[in-house]
Amino acid sequence: MPAPTITDVRAIMTSPGSGSLQKRLIVVKVETSEPGLYGVGCATFTQRHRPVASVVDDFLRPLLVGRDPRRIEDIWQTIHVNAYWRSGPVMNNALSGVDMALWDIKGKLAGMPVYELLGGKCREAAAVYRHADGSCPTEVEDNVRKYVEQGYGHVRVQMGGYGGRATPTQALESSLTGAHFDPAAYFRGVLTVFEHIRSTVGFEVELLHDVHERLVPIEAVRLAKEVEPFRLFFLEDLLPPEHIEWFAMARKQCTTPLAMGELFVNANEWKPLVEGRLIDFIRCHISDIGGLTPAKKLGTVCEHFGIRTAWHGPGDVSPVGHVANLHLDVSSPNFGIQEFAGFSEIEQEMFPGCPEVRNGYLYLNDKPGLGIDIDEDLAAKYPCPDGVLDWTQARTPDGTIVYP
Ligand code: MG
C-alpha cells in the first residue's frame, strides 16, 4: 500500500436533540487518500465552539493536507507550536480533534482497537460514577439509591448543584444576571447531606463530591478536613488552578483524597501537583490538553507518583471524547474511575458505536480504531445555537462574580 496522505480536515458542529448552549459538540473528521479510511476526534469546547471550528477549518486543514496520517507524534508537535503561542482551550481542542482522529486512523490501519496500540487491556471495562443531586438530603438519598440499584458502585453527591444554588440566599437589591449562591450555606449543606447519606445508605457505596472552586482557600481546606469522617472516594476541584499552592495545606490537615485537573490546559499546571504528591486523582479534560497523545503521557507520569486517573467525562463531551477516555481507562494500570453522564437516544443514533453501560461498568465495542463514528446527515439537522451562558456567571450573596 502506498503511504496514505491526509486529504481533508474539517470540524462538524452539532447540538444533538436539546439545541442546548451546554450541548454544543464539535467533532473533527480527518479523511485520507485511502478509500473509506478516515478518523474522528473530539474537539468539544461547548462555551466557545465557533473559534475551535475556525482553527480546524481555516488553519489546521491547510497545514495538514498532504501529510502522512500515521505520523501522530510529529503532527501533534507541529500543530502545538504552529501558532507560536501554545496551549489554551481553543488551540488544544482543535489539536485534540485531529490527534484522536489520527489514533482512530492508525487503529483502523492496524485492524486493532486503539487500546491495543496503547498496550492492551489491563481490565475488561471501566467503572463509572454518576451524578446524584437534589434539593434536600432525602431527595439526594433517593437519587443515590436509584444508581446503587442500577449497579453503580460510585456516585457523586451534590445538593442544589454547584455551590448549593438551591439554598436561599440573602435578599440583595440588585438584578444582576447569574447563578447566585451562598458559600457559607453551601459549606453547611455539604456536611448535612453527607451525614444523611452515610447514616441512611451506609458506607458500602463510594461517594464523591465536586466543590467546583466555590470556596475561598482556607474554607476549602476546612471542608476537606471536615468531610474526612465520611470517607469520600474523592473530593474534586477543592481549589481553582490559580490557588494550587493551598493543596499543600490541605494535605497536612487530612487524608481526604483529592481530584483535580479539568481546567488545566498545559503541563505546567499539573507538574507541581503531581511531583509534590498533592493530589490523588488527575482528571484533565482530554480534549482540553490536546488529545490522547498528551493524556497517555500524563497518565504514565502519574502512575509513577501513585496518582490514579479520573478523566473528566461530563455531559458536554461528545461520545467520541467519552470513547477516547475509555481507551485510556482500560489500558492504564493506574486507572481510578471514569465520570459518565449517560448517552441520550439521539446521541446513540448520531454516534454509532457508543459504549454500553452495564452494572456500573462502561464497555467498549472492540472495533478497530476508536470504534465510534458520526452520522453527519443527522448531525446537520441539529445546528448549534448561539447565546450567552448563565451558569458561568456565579455570584456570591452581595453580587460579586466568582469562579463558576
Ligand atoms: Mg468537575
Side-chain angles (χ1 to χ4, degrees), residues 17 20-21 57 59 94 183-184 197 201 231 236 242 279 284 337 364:
S20 161
L21 296 179
D57 295 342
F59 296 93
I197 302 296
V201 180
R231 303 290 302 268
E236 173 185 348
E242 292 84 350
I279 55 171
C284 292
I337 191 71
L364 283 163

Side-chain angles (χ1 to χ4, degrees), residues 156 210 212 236-237 262 283 312:
R156 193 188 78 171
D210 189 351
H212 228 266
E236 173 185 348
D237 285 356
E262 72 186 56
R283 55 181 278 98
H312 193 219

Side-chain angles (χ1 to χ4, degrees), residues 132-134 140 156-163 186 193 208-211:
D133 206 322
V140 177
R156 193 188 78 171
V157 167
Q158 308 289 137
M159 190 165 67
Y162 302 129
Y186 159 67
V193 73
L208 304 80
H209 180 71
D210 189 351
V211 179

